[in-house]
């Protein structure tokens, strides 16, 4: 196996096939997993109903003004086309993942050729943090793709000649920035804007900031965003909604605001992203280390009289600019959560794509060492990950289907063969063959692992059985939720179309029990989380008894109880 011309000429097709296999079970092989997926799916599901509010997202009956609605609009369209269900909501994520990888590939293609394109696209789809975001129902999946597209348009605009070519590429950048804004607010502008400013300053191309082509596309952003803003403002509580959308949810994530709880929910420390970064970049962490070292050398080359350096230096500087300033800004923010760093993945993938050609042409000692370290990591992963998923499935009593076991076994054996081929190529000094084998080995390892892991974990993560039990009870009795969180509210709304009243005060519960003598109460009673005490409180303090209990299995399954008045 080599990175030959036949493969590279068809790099978009090969990339789509490889990433589709890698993502298949993560996207299509499971239902909604807590904590975020039920909420995001329920918001889209409510929009998709006849008369659903397409302007302000709602969770149950309550407006949720955390993010603009583009992600939910796309999911709504998928639900209306394919029917309500987790796969319908998650299907657009496959499009976002493939689009993001292809866009980063096109950026690398423009900077360094087909080999860089294929490598960057593959990294974009398989970096651990990128993979997590791509399979998860959340706005970050679309956000990451829009950042990749904006970086592509930005780089091509910077490199294009003045006039229509530059206008066209910058217009493409603004299209993606508008989509990103409608996905997750001004955060979408952070990476492309900082990359543009740092690159211009680094290259001393100050006149670029005065180019009319750079700003003409702002009209597209206004045309895309302003109608939605005006529609929100026209609501009776529009001013409050807009403040939450654009102040609380933006400033409140970077610094502490009075009355805004984001800093309490996702608190972190100053160097958290830097410490966790090696994990985000698995399994290509060591290759990215080599790429960063090469970027440092290449970005510092003097271009005086050296046309080759003049051509090679700008892509490296742009890749660095796509990572470093945004990483520093995220590190300085008050709230920290690993998925917030997903916007950095296109820049790291670009670094890897730019690295591969010089590494194959004239590998340095560090390049060879990092390839060997990557081979070791992949060999261990190929050897251990799929069997560990099978052992855990048997341990918790969640046997996979025969088809999944056969597929996993075939993919596992193939990954082991490729791991052996990888080591053989390294010993023979054939880095191109080694890297091709490494990519195929990881894709097959992930396919084998997820074919077993996703169905196993789905049993404990999917709260569908709770929703079905609540729907059966609600068909005959009034139902309320005691001390509800967003997850159970979303699950009942999405799976069962129920929006029971949420009660957290004892006096209100007594009043409702007096008004409806057959009122049933749903509550979480998961042991070990302090929630099992709710059962004793409700039984002893309100004269209730358990009618139905739903205990989701290991690993990590929650427990719920539906109580009824004692007769």
């Amino acid at each position: 196996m080599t990175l030959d011309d036949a493969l590279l000429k068809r790099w978009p097709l090969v990339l789509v096939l490889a990433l589709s296999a890698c993502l298949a079970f993560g996207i299509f092989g499971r239902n909604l997993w807590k904590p975020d997926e039920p909420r995001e799916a329920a918001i889209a599901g409510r929009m998709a109903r006849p008369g659903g509010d397409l302007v302000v997202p709602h969770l149950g009956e309550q407006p949720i003004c955390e993010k603009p609605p583009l992600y939910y609009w796309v999911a709504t369209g998928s639900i209306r086309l394919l029917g309500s269900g987790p796969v319908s909501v998650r299907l657009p994520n496959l499009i976002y993942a493939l689009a993001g990888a292809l866009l980063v590939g096109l950026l690398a293609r423009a900077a360094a050729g087909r080999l860089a394109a294929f490598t960057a696209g593959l990294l974009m789809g398989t970096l651990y943090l990128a993979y997590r975001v791509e399979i998860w129902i959340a706005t970050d999946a679309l956000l990451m793709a829009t950042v990749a597209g904006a970086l592509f348009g930005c780089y091509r605009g910077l490199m294009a000649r003045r006039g229509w070519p530059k206008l066209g590429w910058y217009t493409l950048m603004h299209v993606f920035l508008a989509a990103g804004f409608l996905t997750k607010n001004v955060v979408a502008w952070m990476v492309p804007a900082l990359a543009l400013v740092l690159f211009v300053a680094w290259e001393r191309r100050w006149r670029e900031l005065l180019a009319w082509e750079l700003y003409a596309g702002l009209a597209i952003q206004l045309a895309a965003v302003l109608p939605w803003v005006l529609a929100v403002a026209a609501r009776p509580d529009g001013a409050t909604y807009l403040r939450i959308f654009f102040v609380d949810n933006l400033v409140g994530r970077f610094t502490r605001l009075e009355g805004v709880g984001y800093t309490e929910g996702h608190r972190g420390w100053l160097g958290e992203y830097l410490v966790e970064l090696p994990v985000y970049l698995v399994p290509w962490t060591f290759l990215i280390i080599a790429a960063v070292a090469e970027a440092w050398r290449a970005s510092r080359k003097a271009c005086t009289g050296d046309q080759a350096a003049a051509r090679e230096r700008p892509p490296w500087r742009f890749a660095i600019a796509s990572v470093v300033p945004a990483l520093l800004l995220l590190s300085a923010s008050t709230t920290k959560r690993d998925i917030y760093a997903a916007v950095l993945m296109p820049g790291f993938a670009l670094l890897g794509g730019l690295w591969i050609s010089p590494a194959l042409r004239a590998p340095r000692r560090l390049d060879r060492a990092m390839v060997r370290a990557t081979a070791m990591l992949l060999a261990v992963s190929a050897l251990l990950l799929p069997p560990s998923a099978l052992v855990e499935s048997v341990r918790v009593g969640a046997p996979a289907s025969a088809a999944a076991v056969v597929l996993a076994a075939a993919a596992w054996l193939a990954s082991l063969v490729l791991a052996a081929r990888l080591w053989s190529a390294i010993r023979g000094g054939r880095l191109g063959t080694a890297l091709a084998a490494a990519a195929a080995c990881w894709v097959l390892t992930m396919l084998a692992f997820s074919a077993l892991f996703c169905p196993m974990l789905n049993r404990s993560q999917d709260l569908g059985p709770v929703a079905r039990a609540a729907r059966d009870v609600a068909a005959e009795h009034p139902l309320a939720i005691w001390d509800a969180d967003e997850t159970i509210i979303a699950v009942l709304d999405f799976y069962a179309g129920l929006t029971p009243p949420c009660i957290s005060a004892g006096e209100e519960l007594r009043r409702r029990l007096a008004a409806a003598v057959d009122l049933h109460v749903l509550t979480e009673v998961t042991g070990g989380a302090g929630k099992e005490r709710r059962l004793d409180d409700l039984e002893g303090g309100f004269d209730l008894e358990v009618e139905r209990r739903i205990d989701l299995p290991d690993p990590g399954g929650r427990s719920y109880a539906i109580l009824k008045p004692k007769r």
Side-chain angles (χ1 to χ4, degrees):
M1 180 184 298
T2 60
L3 292 168
D4 55 24
D5 289 340
L7 181 148
L8 293 178
K9 286 180 180 178
R10 298 171 177 83
W11 70 265
L13 176 60
V14 176
L15 191 62
V16 166
L17 294 176
L19 295 186
S20 296
C22 190
L23 296 166
F25 282 92
I27 290 181
F28 300 113
R30 60 191 185 87
N31 292 326
L32 303 178
W33 288 2
K34 59 182 188 289
D36 298 327
E37 287 198 311
R39 185 185 70 165
E40 303 296 281
I43 291 172
R46 181 160 284 268
M47 275 191 179
R49 295 173 189 170
D53 190 343
L54 297 175
V55 176
V56 178
H58 279 70
L59 177 61
E61 303 294 339
Q62 297 299 315
I64 299 294
C65 302
E66 291 190 4
K67 306 173 190 79
L70 180 59
Y71 181 88
Y72 307 117
W73 287 344
V74 179
T76 293
S78 181
I79 292 172
R80 289 180 176 177
L81 182 64
L82 302 174
S84 180
V87 172
S88 299
V89 182
R90 200 180 285 113
L91 179 61
N93 279 41
L94 179 61
I95 300 172
Y96 306 146
L98 297 178
L102 291 171
L103 286 165
V104 172
L106 289 171
L107 170 52
R109 171 76 172 85
R114 289 173 178 164
L115 179 58
F118 178 69
T119 304
L122 186 74
L123 294 183
M124 179 63 188
T126 56
L127 292 168
Y128 164 71
L129 184 57
Y131 175 84
R132 268 196 58 201
V133 168
E134 288 161 352
I135 68 170
W136 202 251
I137 298 177
T139 54
D140 300 274
L142 177 54
L143 174 67
M144 194 166 61
T146 63
V147 169
L151 286 174
F152 174 50
C154 180
Y155 178 78
R156 293 303 304 267
L158 286 166
M159 298 298 114
R161 68 178 187 272
R162 296 292 299 269
W164 290 109
K166 187 177 287 290
L167 175 63
W169 290 115
Y170 277 143
T171 298
L172 180 66
M173 177 188 73
H174 283 288
V175 168
F176 281 108
L177 289 177
F181 186 96
L182 285 172
T183 300
K184 205 168 182 178
N185 213 318
V186 183
V187 173
W189 296 350
M190 177 177 64
V191 171
L194 291 175
L196 173 65
V197 172
L198 178 57
F199 180 83
V200 167
W202 204 351
E203 288 281 297
R204 298 180 182 178
R205 302 185 185 184
W206 301 109
R207 294 183 60 185
E208 192 73 27
L209 297 179
L210 302 177
W212 66 270
E213 298 93 338
L214 175 62
Y215 304 101
L218 285 171
I220 293 176
Q221 295 203 54
L222 286 174
V225 174
L226 192 57
W228 171 70
V229 172
L230 293 176
V232 174
R235 299 297 176 89
D237 294 321
T240 300
Y241 295 160
L242 290 175
R243 190 201 71 236
I244 297 173
F245 275 124
F246 297 125
V247 178
D248 295 357
N249 281 280
L250 179 61
V251 181
R253 293 182 188 273
F254 285 90
T255 187
R256 185 181 181 87
L257 289 180
E258 188 67 29
V260 178
Y262 299 121
T263 55
E264 300 301 322
H266 302 296
R267 302 177 69 177
W269 40 282
L270 186 59
E272 183 173 346
Y273 285 120
L274 288 174
V275 172
E276 295 179 354
L277 190 57
V279 177
Y280 302 162
L281 303 177
V282 167
W284 312 114
T285 306
F286 298 111
L287 297 188
I288 297 298
I289 291 173
V292 169
E294 182 63 28
W296 174 251
R297 286 189 293 268
S299 64
R300 297 169 66 233
K301 286 182 180 179
C303 296
T304 305
D306 188 346
Q307 293 185 353
R311 290 192 301 270
E312 293 176 3
R313 191 181 71 176
W316 284 107
R317 289 188 168 184
F318 185 80
I320 293 171
S322 301
V323 171
V324 173
L327 177 59
L328 294 176
L329 182 59
L330 286 172
S331 297
S333 66
T334 304
T335 60
K336 291 180 175 66
R337 192 181 180 192
D338 55 355
I339 60 172
Y340 296 166
V343 293
L344 305 176
M345 296 304 103
F348 280 113
L350 177 59
L351 281 171
L354 297 178
W355 165 81
I356 192 168
S357 291
L360 296 184
R361 183 173 59 248
R364 301 174 187 271
R365 180 180 300 178
L366 179 63
D367 296 330
R368 295 185 184 277
M370 293 299 98
V371 170
R372 285 193 296 271
T374 300
M376 177 65 72
L377 177 61
L378 291 175
V380 171
S381 300
L383 182 64
L384 297 181
L385 280 181
S388 67
L390 181 60
V391 169
E392 184 66 11
S393 296
V394 173
R395 187 188 72 81
V396 300
S401 67
V405 172
V406 170
L407 176 62
W412 180 49
L413 292 174
S415 69
L416 293 178
V417 171
L418 287 165
R421 181 72 180 274
L422 168 58
W423 277 106
S424 175
I426 290 176
R427 287 196 299 270
R430 303 186 307 275
L431 289 190
T433 300
L435 292 171
C441 177
W442 180 250
V443 168
L444 289 172
T445 298
M446 287 301 297
L447 177 61
F449 175 75
S450 59
L452 300 170
F453 179 79
C454 287
M456 174 196 68
L457 195 58
N458 191 66
R459 299 192 325 150
S460 61
Q461 292 289 308
D462 177 28
L463 299 181
V466 181
R468 289 188 286 273
R471 181 181 57 200
D472 293 343
V473 169
E476 300 180 5
H477 309 280
L479 181 68
I481 313 176
W482 175 254
D483 205 7
D485 58 18
E486 287 186 340
T487 299
I488 194 61
I489 294 171
V491 164
L492 295 185
D493 192 21
F494 184 78
Y495 281 120
L498 298 175
T499 54
C502 300
I503 305 171
S504 57
E507 288 303 316
E508 182 182 0
L509 179 56
R510 289 190 178 89
R511 180 176 59 80
R512 288 184 178 272
L513 285 169
V517 294
D518 61 341
L519 178 70
H520 285 53
V521 179
L522 168 66
T523 189
E524 183 178 354
V525 293
T526 304
K531 297 177 181 178
E532 68 271 22
R533 292 195 298 269
R534 295 177 183 174
L535 196 56
D536 295 335
D537 293 342
L538 291 172
E539 287 180 325
F542 299 93
D543 206 27
L544 298 173
E545 62 182 358
V546 175
E547 178 179 271
R548 189 177 303 192
R549 183 177 176 119
I550 307 98
D551 294 305
L552 298 176
D554 286 333
R558 296 185 181 185
S559 296
Y560 291 84
I562 300 177
L563 298 96
K564 65 179 181 179
K566 292 180 180 178
R567 304 301 181 191

